[in-house]
Amino acid sequence: MSIYKVEICGVNTAKLPLLNNEEKEALFQRILKGDMQAREEYIKGNLRLVLSVIQRFSGSNENVDDLFQIGCIGLIKAIDNFDITQNVKFSTYAVPMILGEVRRYLRDNNSIRVSRSLRDTAYKAICTREQLLKKYQKEPSIMEIAAEIGMSKEEVSYALDAIQSPVSLYEPVYTDGGDPLYVMDQIHDKKNMEENWVEDISLNEAMKRLPERERHIIDLRFFEGKTQMEVAEEIHISQAQVSRLEKNALKSMRNYLS
């Protein structure tokens, strides 16, 4: 699938509009009053989110135009269901909606046949997950989803695994205009925690030059092998902040060591 084409579905992706926060808020107030023109502008102003999501499927054989159209359906659903009273950015709410729509499309068109009962279980789990996420504003666990639909966590896990496609370690999990978070950033690595270069004698000097918080993040990530999510929970900042601080720290250390 060629994801780098400039025009998708007749839309010049190189010239997509980009809304600032004030414009988004103003448009959404008009949308709530039934202004269809504002809704159209809001859709166009968030098409970059759709592009960001479908790039995750660049390794598939699906036509990029088809994926873009399906992603737009997810975007529209997100706009129609977004609750501005919740303290959540629209992009944070919309990306999983778009992603879910594209994955449902790929599952329904998958050449590998999955039994109807297994697929129904998976769809029920996915819908329940979205309902719990919207209700509690946090990602529900498999056990919570299973309890909600009256099934065992093993049944739910098996059904969800059966409809998943392989994922690259370099697939971006989330991006909001800054540094993207990749699948590999979420994975424990107990066997190889950068020990080959961590043991370098000059590394201690490089780490001493880091601000205290950045040094602590490097300790947790590469000496203790924790994921960025675990680090974020421990030091009470967002995962995106952990990612940025980690990249800054590694860059500073490389500059010193070179």
Side-chain angles (χ1 to χ4, degrees), residues 29-58:
Q29 291 299 329
R30 289 168 55 192
I31 291 173
L32 294 175
K33 296 177 182 177
D35 189 330
M36 298 306 292
Q37 179 61 36
R39 183 172 179 268
E40 185 71 20
E41 290 180 34
Y42 202 86
I43 292 171
K44 291 180 179 178
N46 283 279
L47 289 178
R48 291 175 185 270
L49 283 179
V50 178
L51 286 177
S52 173
V53 170
I54 66 173
Q55 284 176 357
R56 307 181 186 193
F57 303 93
S58 59

PDB file of all heavy atoms in Angstrom, residues 29-58:
ATOM      1  N   GLN A  29     -18.617  24.474  19.350  1.00  0.00           N
ATOM      2  CA  GLN A  29     -19.783  25.164  19.903  1.00  0.00           C
ATOM      3  C   GLN A  29     -20.859  25.346  18.833  1.00  0.00           C
ATOM      4  O   GLN A  29     -22.052  25.206  19.101  1.00  0.00           O
ATOM      5  CB  GLN A  29     -19.365  26.526  20.470  1.00  0.00           C
ATOM      6  CG  GLN A  29     -18.506  26.451  21.729  1.00  0.00           C
ATOM      7  CD  GLN A  29     -19.213  25.760  22.886  1.00  0.00           C
ATOM      8  OE1 GLN A  29     -20.441  25.834  23.016  1.00  0.00           O
ATOM      9  NE2 GLN A  29     -18.439  25.095  23.738  1.00  0.00           N
ATOM     10  N   ARG A  30     -20.417  25.643  17.620  1.00  0.00           N
ATOM     11  CA  ARG A  30     -21.375  25.784  16.504  1.00  0.00           C
ATOM     12  C   ARG A  30     -21.977  24.433  16.124  1.00  0.00           C
ATOM     13  O   ARG A  30     -23.162  24.340  15.789  1.00  0.00           O
ATOM     14  CB  ARG A  30     -20.670  26.401  15.300  1.00  0.00           C
ATOM     15  CG  ARG A  30     -20.322  27.892  15.484  1.00  0.00           C
ATOM     16  CD  ARG A  30     -19.365  28.362  14.400  1.00  0.00           C
ATOM     17  NE  ARG A  30     -19.890  28.104  13.058  1.00  0.00           N
ATOM     18  CZ  ARG A  30     -19.157  28.209  11.946  1.00  0.00           C
ATOM     19  NH1 ARG A  30     -17.878  28.575  12.035  1.00  0.00           N
ATOM     20  NH2 ARG A  30     -19.696  27.959  10.759  1.00  0.00           N
ATOM     21  N   ILE A  31     -21.165  23.367  16.200  1.00  0.00           N
ATOM     22  CA  ILE A  31     -21.659  22.022  15.877  1.00  0.00           C
ATOM     23  C   ILE A  31     -22.767  21.625  16.848  1.00  0.00           C
ATOM     24  O   ILE A  31     -23.788  21.056  16.452  1.00  0.00           O
ATOM     25  CB  ILE A  31     -20.503  21.000  15.945  1.00  0.00           C
ATOM     26  CG1 ILE A  31     -19.522  21.247  14.807  1.00  0.00           C
ATOM     27  CG2 ILE A  31     -21.044  19.564  15.870  1.00  0.00           C
ATOM     28  CD1 ILE A  31     -18.261  20.400  14.884  1.00  0.00           C
ATOM     29  N   LEU A  32     -22.580  21.941  18.123  1.00  0.00           N
ATOM     30  CA  LEU A  32     -23.577  21.604  19.138  1.00  0.00           C
ATOM     31  C   LEU A  32     -24.913  22.306  18.900  1.00  0.00           C
ATOM     32  O   LEU A  32     -25.958  21.856  19.365  1.00  0.00           O
ATOM     33  CB  LEU A  32     -23.045  21.954  20.532  1.00  0.00           C
ATOM     34  CG  LEU A  32     -21.845  21.133  21.021  1.00  0.00           C
ATOM     35  CD1 LEU A  32     -21.348  21.650  22.358  1.00  0.00           C
ATOM     36  CD2 LEU A  32     -22.215  19.656  21.126  1.00  0.00           C
ATOM     37  N   LYS A  33     -24.856  23.402  18.139  1.00  0.00           N
ATOM     38  CA  LYS A  33     -26.075  24.144  17.816  1.00  0.00           C
ATOM     39  C   LYS A  33     -26.664  23.703  16.482  1.00  0.00           C
ATOM     40  O   LYS A  33     -27.598  24.314  15.977  1.00  0.00           O
ATOM     41  CB  LYS A  33     -25.768  25.638  17.782  1.00  0.00           C
ATOM     42  CG  LYS A  33     -25.337  26.206  19.133  1.00  0.00           C
ATOM     43  CD  LYS A  33     -24.967  27.681  19.027  1.00  0.00           C
ATOM     44  CE  LYS A  33     -24.499  28.232  20.367  1.00  0.00           C
ATOM     45  NZ  LYS A  33     -24.070  29.657  20.271  1.00  0.00           N
ATOM     46  N   GLY A  34     -26.093  22.648  15.897  1.00  0.00           N
ATOM     47  CA  GLY A  34     -26.628  22.104  14.657  1.00  0.00           C
ATOM     48  C   GLY A  34     -26.059  22.707  13.396  1.00  0.00           C
ATOM     49  O   GLY A  34     -26.638  22.527  12.312  1.00  0.00           O
ATOM     50  N   ASP A  35     -24.948  23.405  13.487  1.00  0.00           N
ATOM     51  CA  ASP A  35     -24.334  24.045  12.323  1.00  0.00           C
ATOM     52  C   ASP A  35     -23.576  22.999  11.506  1.00  0.00           C
ATOM     53  O   ASP A  35     -22.486  22.569  11.875  1.00  0.00           O
ATOM     54  CB  ASP A  35     -23.374  25.148  12.778  1.00  0.00           C
ATOM     55  CG  ASP A  35     -22.871  26.008  11.634  1.00  0.00           C
ATOM     56  OD1 ASP A  35     -22.772  25.490  10.505  1.00  0.00           O
ATOM     57  OD2 ASP A  35     -22.565  27.201  11.867  1.00  0.00           O
ATOM     58  N   MET A  36     -24.154  22.584  10.359  1.00  0.00           N
ATOM     59  CA  MET A  36     -23.545  21.548   9.537  1.00  0.00           C
ATOM     60  C   MET A  36     -22.288  22.039   8.828  1.00  0.00           C
ATOM     61  O   MET A  36     -21.383  21.258   8.541  1.00  0.00           O
ATOM     62  CB  MET A  36     -24.555  21.037   8.510  1.00  0.00           C
ATOM     63  CG  MET A  36     -25.790  20.401   9.136  1.00  0.00           C
ATOM     64  SD  MET A  36     -25.383  19.070  10.316  1.00  0.00           S
ATOM     65  CE  MET A  36     -24.709  17.845   9.198  1.00  0.00           C
ATOM     66  N   GLN A  37     -22.229  23.340   8.518  1.00  0.00           N
ATOM     67  CA  GLN A  37     -21.032  23.888   7.891  1.00  0.00           C
ATOM     68  C   GLN A  37     -19.842  23.806   8.854  1.00  0.00           C
ATOM     69  O   GLN A  37     -18.720  23.467   8.458  1.00  0.00           O
ATOM     70  CB  GLN A  37     -21.266  25.348   7.489  1.00  0.00           C
ATOM     71  CG  GLN A  37     -20.056  26.028   6.841  1.00  0.00           C
ATOM     72  CD  GLN A  37     -19.625  25.347   5.554  1.00  0.00           C
ATOM     73  OE1 GLN A  37     -20.458  24.866   4.788  1.00  0.00           O
ATOM     74  NE2 GLN A  37     -18.319  25.301   5.313  1.00  0.00           N
ATOM     75  N   ALA A  38     -20.091  24.080  10.138  1.00  0.00           N
ATOM     76  CA  ALA A  38     -19.038  23.977  11.145  1.00  0.00           C
ATOM     77  C   ALA A  38     -18.581  22.530  11.279  1.00  0.00           C
ATOM     78  O   ALA A  38     -17.383  22.254  11.439  1.00  0.00           O
ATOM     79  CB  ALA A  38     -19.547  24.493  12.493  1.00  0.00           C
ATOM     80  N   ARG A  39     -19.527  21.600  11.191  1.00  0.00           N
ATOM     81  CA  ARG A  39     -19.192  20.177  11.268  1.00  0.00           C
ATOM     82  C   ARG A  39     -18.294  19.776  10.109  1.00  0.00           C
ATOM     83  O   ARG A  39     -17.310  19.037  10.287  1.00  0.00           O
ATOM     84  CB  ARG A  39     -20.482  19.357  11.244  1.00  0.00           C
ATOM     85  CG  ARG A  39     -20.305  17.840  11.400  1.00  0.00           C
ATOM     86  CD  ARG A  39     -21.675  17.202  11.559  1.00  0.00           C
ATOM     87  NE  ARG A  39     -21.617  15.762  11.695  1.00  0.00           N
ATOM     88  CZ  ARG A  39     -21.705  14.914  10.667  1.00  0.00           C
ATOM     89  NH1 ARG A  39     -21.852  15.411   9.428  1.00  0.00           N
ATOM     90  NH2 ARG A  39     -21.665  13.622  10.870  1.00  0.00           N
ATOM     91  N   GLU A  40     -18.599  20.272   8.925  1.00  0.00           N
ATOM     92  CA  GLU A  40     -17.782  19.980   7.744  1.00  0.00           C
ATOM     93  C   GLU A  40     -16.369  20.538   7.911  1.00  0.00           C
ATOM     94  O   GLU A  40     -15.380  19.867   7.583  1.00  0.00           O
ATOM     95  CB  GLU A  40     -18.448  20.581   6.502  1.00  0.00           C
ATOM     96  CG  GLU A  40     -17.761  20.233   5.194  1.00  0.00           C
ATOM     97  CD  GLU A  40     -17.942  18.773   4.804  1.00  0.00           C
ATOM     98  OE1 GLU A  40     -18.882  18.129   5.315  1.00  0.00           O
ATOM     99  OE2 GLU A  40     -17.123  18.283   4.004  1.00  0.00           O
ATOM    100  N   GLU A  41     -16.274  21.759   8.431  1.00  0.00           N
ATOM    101  CA  GLU A  41     -14.955  22.376   8.642  1.00  0.00           C
ATOM    102  C   GLU A  41     -14.167  21.602   9.693  1.00  0.00           C
ATOM    103  O   GLU A  41     -12.942  21.448   9.581  1.00  0.00           O
ATOM    104  CB  GLU A  41     -15.128  23.834   9.093  1.00  0.00           C
ATOM    105  CG  GLU A  41     -15.643  24.767   8.010  1.00  0.00           C
ATOM    106  CD  GLU A  41     -15.795  26.189   8.517  1.00  0.00           C
ATOM    107  OE1 GLU A  41     -14.979  26.601   9.377  1.00  0.00           O
ATOM    108  OE2 GLU A  41     -16.740  26.874   8.084  1.00  0.00           O
ATOM    109  N   TYR A  42     -14.866  21.120  10.714  1.00  0.00           N
ATOM    110  CA  TYR A  42     -14.191  20.377  11.784  1.00  0.00           C
ATOM    111  C   TYR A  42     -13.664  19.046  11.249  1.00  0.00           C
ATOM    112  O   TYR A  42     -12.567  18.613  11.613  1.00  0.00           O
ATOM    113  CB  TYR A  42     -15.166  20.129  12.939  1.00  0.00           C
ATOM    114  CG  TYR A  42     -14.486  19.860  14.259  1.00  0.00           C
ATOM    115  CD1 TYR A  42     -14.101  20.904  15.090  1.00  0.00           C
ATOM    116  CD2 TYR A  42     -14.221  18.556  14.678  1.00  0.00           C
ATOM    117  CE1 TYR A  42     -13.470  20.666  16.299  1.00  0.00           C
ATOM    118  CE2 TYR A  42     -13.593  18.311  15.885  1.00  0.00           C
ATOM    119  CZ  TYR A  42     -13.221  19.369  16.689  1.00  0.00           C
ATOM    120  OH  TYR A  42     -12.585  19.122  17.887  1.00  0.00           O
ATOM    121  N   ILE A  43     -14.444  18.414  10.390  1.00  0.00           N
ATOM    122  CA  ILE A  43     -13.996  17.155   9.781  1.00  0.00           C
ATOM    123  C   ILE A  43     -12.730  17.390   8.963  1.00  0.00           C
ATOM    124  O   ILE A  43     -11.725  16.689   9.117  1.00  0.00           O
ATOM    125  CB  ILE A  43     -15.101  16.550   8.893  1.00  0.00           C
ATOM    126  CG1 ILE A  43     -16.276  16.081   9.747  1.00  0.00           C
ATOM    127  CG2 ILE A  43     -14.557  15.392   8.050  1.00  0.00           C
ATOM    128  CD1 ILE A  43     -17.498  15.666   8.956  1.00  0.00           C
ATOM    129  N   LYS A  44     -12.768  18.409   8.099  1.00  0.00           N
ATOM    130  CA  LYS A  44     -11.609  18.709   7.241  1.00  0.00           C
ATOM    131  C   LYS A  44     -10.389  19.079   8.084  1.00  0.00           C
ATOM    132  O   LYS A  44      -9.262  18.728   7.740  1.00  0.00           O
ATOM    133  CB  LYS A  44     -11.946  19.845   6.278  1.00  0.00           C
ATOM    134  CG  LYS A  44     -12.955  19.468   5.203  1.00  0.00           C
ATOM    135  CD  LYS A  44     -13.253  20.648   4.285  1.00  0.00           C
ATOM    136  CE  LYS A  44     -14.240  20.272   3.203  1.00  0.00           C
ATOM    137  NZ  LYS A  44     -14.571  21.429   2.332  1.00  0.00           N
ATOM    138  N   GLY A  45     -10.629  19.777   9.194  1.00  0.00           N
ATOM    139  CA  GLY A  45      -9.524  20.213  10.044  1.00  0.00           C
ATOM    140  C   GLY A  45      -8.897  19.099  10.867  1.00  0.00           C
ATOM    141  O   GLY A  45      -7.865  19.302  11.509  1.00  0.00           O
ATOM    142  N   ASN A  46      -9.524  17.900  10.842  1.00  0.00           N
ATOM    143  CA  ASN A  46      -8.987  16.770  11.608  1.00  0.00           C
ATOM    144  C   ASN A  46      -8.634  15.568  10.733  1.00  0.00           C
ATOM    145  O   ASN A  46      -8.405  14.471  11.248  1.00  0.00           O
ATOM    146  CB  ASN A  46     -10.000  16.343  12.680  1.00  0.00           C
ATOM    147  CG  ASN A  46     -10.019  17.283  13.868  1.00  0.00           C
ATOM    148  OD1 ASN A  46      -9.182  17.202  14.761  1.00  0.00           O
ATOM    149  ND2 ASN A  46     -10.971  18.204  13.873  1.00  0.00           N
ATOM    150  N   LEU A  47      -8.586  15.783   9.414  1.00  0.00           N
ATOM    151  CA  LEU A  47      -8.243  14.684   8.509  1.00  0.00           C
ATOM    152  C   LEU A  47      -6.811  14.201   8.702  1.00  0.00           C
ATOM    153  O   LEU A  47      -6.462  13.073   8.345  1.00  0.00           O
ATOM    154  CB  LEU A  47      -8.460  15.105   7.053  1.00  0.00           C
ATOM    155  CG  LEU A  47      -9.919  15.266   6.621  1.00  0.00           C
ATOM    156  CD1 LEU A  47      -9.993  15.724   5.168  1.00  0.00           C
ATOM    157  CD2 LEU A  47     -10.688  13.960   6.796  1.00  0.00           C
ATOM    158  N   ARG A  48      -5.963  15.059   9.290  1.00  0.00           N
ATOM    159  CA  ARG A  48      -4.591  14.629   9.562  1.00  0.00           C
ATOM    160  C   ARG A  48      -4.572  13.481  10.578  1.00  0.00           C
ATOM    161  O   ARG A  48      -3.656  12.651  10.566  1.00  0.00           O
ATOM    162  CB  ARG A  48      -3.749  15.807  10.087  1.00  0.00           C
ATOM    163  CG  ARG A  48      -3.489  16.878   9.039  1.00  0.00           C
ATOM    164  CD  ARG A  48      -2.758  18.064   9.641  1.00  0.00           C
ATOM    165  NE  ARG A  48      -2.608  19.142   8.672  1.00  0.00           N
ATOM    166  CZ  ARG A  48      -1.567  19.267   7.852  1.00  0.00           C
ATOM    167  NH1 ARG A  48      -0.593  18.382   7.898  1.00  0.00           N
ATOM    168  NH2 ARG A  48      -1.498  20.269   6.999  1.00  0.00           N
ATOM    169  N   LEU A  49      -5.557  13.456  11.467  1.00  0.00           N
ATOM    170  CA  LEU A  49      -5.660  12.342  12.410  1.00  0.00           C
ATOM    171  C   LEU A  49      -5.897  11.032  11.666  1.00  0.00           C
ATOM    172  O   LEU A  49      -5.330   9.990  12.001  1.00  0.00           O
ATOM    173  CB  LEU A  49      -6.803  12.580  13.397  1.00  0.00           C
ATOM    174  CG  LEU A  49      -6.575  13.558  14.549  1.00  0.00           C
ATOM    175  CD1 LEU A  49      -7.837  13.658  15.388  1.00  0.00           C
ATOM    176  CD2 LEU A  49      -5.398  13.125  15.414  1.00  0.00           C
ATOM    177  N   VAL A  50      -6.758  11.103  10.644  1.00  0.00           N
ATOM    178  CA  VAL A  50      -7.041   9.912   9.842  1.00  0.00           C
ATOM    179  C   VAL A  50      -5.776   9.435   9.142  1.00  0.00           C
ATOM    180  O   VAL A  50      -5.454   8.240   9.132  1.00  0.00           O
ATOM    181  CB  VAL A  50      -8.155  10.190   8.812  1.00  0.00           C
ATOM    182  CG1 VAL A  50      -8.405   8.956   7.948  1.00  0.00           C
ATOM    183  CG2 VAL A  50      -9.442  10.613   9.511  1.00  0.00           C
ATOM    184  N   LEU A  51      -5.038  10.364   8.555  1.00  0.00           N
ATOM    185  CA  LEU A  51      -3.781  10.007   7.887  1.00  0.00           C
ATOM    186  C   LEU A  51      -2.809   9.368   8.866  1.00  0.00           C
ATOM    187  O   LEU A  51      -2.122   8.390   8.544  1.00  0.00           O
ATOM    188  CB  LEU A  51      -3.143  11.251   7.263  1.00  0.00           C
ATOM    189  CG  LEU A  51      -3.784  11.800   5.993  1.00  0.00           C
ATOM    190  CD1 LEU A  51      -3.069  13.071   5.557  1.00  0.00           C
ATOM    191  CD2 LEU A  51      -3.741  10.774   4.877  1.00  0.00           C
ATOM    192  N   SER A  52      -2.732   9.933  10.061  1.00  0.00           N
ATOM    193  CA  SER A  52      -1.816   9.409  11.077  1.00  0.00           C
ATOM    194  C   SER A  52      -2.162   7.968  11.422  1.00  0.00           C
ATOM    195  O   SER A  52      -1.269   7.121  11.577  1.00  0.00           O
ATOM    196  CB  SER A  52      -1.883  10.278  12.340  1.00  0.00           C
ATOM    197  OG  SER A  52      -1.134   9.716  13.388  1.00  0.00           O
ATOM    198  N   VAL A  53      -3.452   7.661  11.520  1.00  0.00           N
ATOM    199  CA  VAL A  53      -3.880   6.309  11.879  1.00  0.00           C
ATOM    200  C   VAL A  53      -3.640   5.322  10.746  1.00  0.00           C
ATOM    201  O   VAL A  53      -3.110   4.229  10.974  1.00  0.00           O
ATOM    202  CB  VAL A  53      -5.373   6.307  12.286  1.00  0.00           C
ATOM    203  CG1 VAL A  53      -5.887   4.875  12.413  1.00  0.00           C
ATOM    204  CG2 VAL A  53      -5.570   7.048  13.600  1.00  0.00           C
ATOM    205  N   ILE A  54      -4.002   5.680   9.512  1.00  0.00           N
ATOM    206  CA  ILE A  54      -3.880   4.693   8.422  1.00  0.00           C
ATOM    207  C   ILE A  54      -2.425   4.417   8.067  1.00  0.00           C
ATOM    208  O   ILE A  54      -2.132   3.397   7.432  1.00  0.00           O
ATOM    209  CB  ILE A  54      -4.677   5.124   7.170  1.00  0.00           C
ATOM    210  CG1 ILE A  54      -4.098   6.379   6.526  1.00  0.00           C
ATOM    211  CG2 ILE A  54      -6.150   5.300   7.504  1.00  0.00           C
ATOM    212  CD1 ILE A  54      -4.774   6.732   5.195  1.00  0.00           C
ATOM    213  N   GLN A  55      -1.506   5.282   8.488  1.00  0.00           N
ATOM    214  CA  GLN A  55      -0.088   4.995   8.268  1.00  0.00           C
ATOM    215  C   GLN A  55       0.350   3.754   9.029  1.00  0.00           C
ATOM    216  O   GLN A  55       1.319   3.097   8.669  1.00  0.00           O
ATOM    217  CB  GLN A  55       0.767   6.200   8.684  1.00  0.00           C
ATOM    218  CG  GLN A  55       0.725   7.335   7.679  1.00  0.00           C
ATOM    219  CD  GLN A  55       1.500   8.554   8.145  1.00  0.00           C
ATOM    220  OE1 GLN A  55       2.031   8.576   9.257  1.00  0.00           O
ATOM    221  NE2 GLN A  55       1.559   9.569   7.305  1.00  0.00           N
ATOM    222  N   ARG A  56      -0.376   3.417  10.084  1.00  0.00           N
ATOM    223  CA  ARG A  56      -0.052   2.226  10.865  1.00  0.00           C
ATOM    224  C   ARG A  56      -0.283   0.951  10.062  1.00  0.00           C
ATOM    225  O   ARG A  56       0.222  -0.112  10.413  1.00  0.00           O
ATOM    226  CB  ARG A  56      -0.894   2.181  12.140  1.00  0.00           C
ATOM    227  CG  ARG A  56      -0.815   3.434  12.981  1.00  0.00           C
ATOM    228  CD  ARG A  56      -1.662   3.314  14.231  1.00  0.00           C
ATOM    229  NE  ARG A  56      -1.701   4.576  14.964  1.00  0.00           N
ATOM    230  CZ  ARG A  56      -2.146   4.710  16.199  1.00  0.00           C
ATOM    231  NH1 ARG A  56      -2.603   3.652  16.844  1.00  0.00           N
ATOM    232  NH2 ARG A  56      -2.155   5.874  16.804  1.00  0.00           N
ATOM    233  N   PHE A  57      -1.067   1.056   8.994  1.00  0.00           N
ATOM    234  CA  PHE A  57      -1.419  -0.121   8.208  1.00  0.00           C
ATOM    235  C   PHE A  57      -0.723  -0.110   6.853  1.00  0.00           C
ATOM    236  O   PHE A  57      -1.196  -0.718   5.896  1.00  0.00           O
ATOM    237  CB  PHE A  57      -2.940  -0.187   8.024  1.00  0.00           C
ATOM    238  CG  PHE A  57      -3.693  -0.211   9.320  1.00  0.00           C
ATOM    239  CD1 PHE A  57      -4.153   0.974   9.890  1.00  0.00           C
ATOM    240  CD2 PHE A  57      -3.915  -1.398  10.000  1.00  0.00           C
ATOM    241  CE1 PHE A  57      -4.840   0.962  11.099  1.00  0.00           C
ATOM    242  CE2 PHE A  57      -4.594  -1.414  11.212  1.00  0.00           C
ATOM    243  CZ  PHE A  57      -5.054  -0.242  11.757  1.00  0.00           C
ATOM    244  N   SER A  58       0.409   0.594   6.785  1.00  0.00           N
ATOM    245  CA  SER A  58       1.136   0.712   5.519  1.00  0.00           C
ATOM    246  C   SER A  58       1.668  -0.634   5.036  1.00  0.00           C
ATOM    247  O   SER A  58       1.973  -0.793   3.860  1.00  0.00           O
ATOM    248  CB  SER A  58       2.294   1.714   5.666  1.00  0.00           C
ATOM    249  OG  SER A  58       3.188   1.301   6.676  1.00  0.00           O
TER     250      SER A  58
END
